[in-house]
Amino acid sequence: TVSGVVIISVGASDSTRRISRAKKRARSIAFVFVAVQVLVVLFGALGLEGINILRSYAAGESHWSKGQKAAVFALHRFARSRDAADYAQFERGLLAIDGDRIARETLEQASLFGTRAERTRAAQGFVLSGNDAQDADGLVWGFLLFHRWPTFGAAIGEWAQGDKWAEDLRAIGQRMHAAGPQADMHPYLARVNALDAHLSRNANAYAKHMAEASRIAERVTLALFIVLSGLACGIGVLFVRRIEASGVTAETRAAESE
């Protein structure tokens, strides 16, 4: 009777251990699959954020171009009216260009990730140019992370050249403002029109480079997503098989010891 009780007790203990091991294996498998999904979602979110930043840069070009056209039209009106209000409109049109220039020059001079003061100044510049304040931090980090990428760098080069033409436009406007009421405005306007053409070509080239950067980012993100998903799934399957193999081994040893 005593030996029977002992056998029953040992059998119950072994059964409890097997159930415990099964639960541990199930938890391990669940953890592996959750970790795999978290990795895939994380990399996917980072890729989408990068694409959104590039699209924000492409959208920001419209603010720059609107400011340019507003400034040019205001100078044409000022040439006819000599009205201070038209000249003030010219200066307001240049604000969008000034804001982006401040941001670009600040970030170009910044260290690897910039200081907090540099990032804040750059973000303020982007907001001044008409970008949404919620997009400003993303634009700052996008510049810091992508500006050494050749495609993005080509767009920045067009941006910098456009800022130089904009400074020439400002100088012409100042000369027109300083000229007497009887001064001939035609030579000034000829230069304004030439600068307007240069600025438009720069804006188009910038938009082309930035659109290409967005397309490349989309393709790279999709490729990485597929590769990482496959890799993560492969790792998950490998872990599951190893866990199953260890479980079978443990069950075999338990059966042999009975």
Side-chain angles (χ1 to χ4, degrees), residues 30-253:
F31 174 79
V32 168
F33 277 109
V34 169
V36 166
Q37 292 303 314
V38 168
L39 271 176
V40 171
V41 170
L42 177 62
F43 280 106
L46 289 174
L48 290 175
E49 181 62 22
I51 293 171
N52 287 334
I53 289 172
L54 292 172
R55 286 178 176 171
S56 294
Y57 268 102
E61 184 272 332
S62 65
H63 301 300
W64 197 97
S65 294
K66 287 177 182 177
Q68 166 211 334
K69 293 301 182 184
V72 168
F73 293 155
L75 277 185
H76 275 272
R77 290 195 303 271
F78 178 76
R80 295 191 302 269
S81 68
R82 310 297 174 89
D83 191 336
D86 289 327
Y87 188 77
Q89 184 64 39
F90 160 71
E91 291 183 318
R92 284 194 294 272
L94 291 178
L95 277 179
I97 297 175
D98 289 340
D100 282 337
R101 176 181 54 77
I102 290 169
R104 177 182 59 78
E105 291 178 346
T106 300
L107 294 173
E108 283 180 335
Q109 296 168 7
S111 57
L112 182 60
F113 295 122
T115 64
R116 177 172 295 183
E118 289 170 333
R119 294 195 300 270
T120 299
R121 176 175 169 78
Q124 290 171 345
F126 284 127
V127 173
L128 179 63
S129 68
N131 293 285
D132 193 293
Q134 293 183 347
D135 295 331
D137 287 338
L139 291 168
V140 170
W141 282 108
F143 192 104
L144 292 171
L145 294 173
F146 298 145
H147 73 280
R148 291 184 176 84
W149 175 22
T151 306
F152 189 88
I156 300 305
E158 296 292 347
W159 177 2
Q161 181 58 54
D163 285 341
K164 292 178 181 178
W165 293 127
E167 285 305 303
D168 288 347
L169 182 64
R170 187 193 306 278
I172 291 295
Q174 291 170 345
R175 291 176 195 167
M176 291 172 65
H177 188 254
Q182 303 304 318
D184 183 8
M185 292 286 112
H186 290 91
Y188 295 113
L189 291 178
R191 180 58 179 163
V192 167
N193 291 336
L195 288 171
D196 183 41
H198 286 312
L199 286 163
S200 295
R201 283 194 293 270
N202 272 117
N204 290 335
Y206 169 91
K208 181 180 179 180
H209 288 305
M210 202 57 74
E212 178 63 18
S214 295
R215 287 191 293 270
I216 291 173
E218 288 177 359
R219 291 195 293 267
V220 170
T221 298
L222 179 59
L224 283 175
F225 187 80
I226 292 171
V227 170
L228 289 172
S229 296
L231 182 62
C233 288
I235 292 172
V237 170
L238 178 63
F239 269 101
V240 168
R241 286 183 175 177
R242 291 187 65 179
I243 291 169
E244 286 180 343
S246 65
V248 170
T249 301
E251 291 292 341
T252 302
R253 289 176 179 173

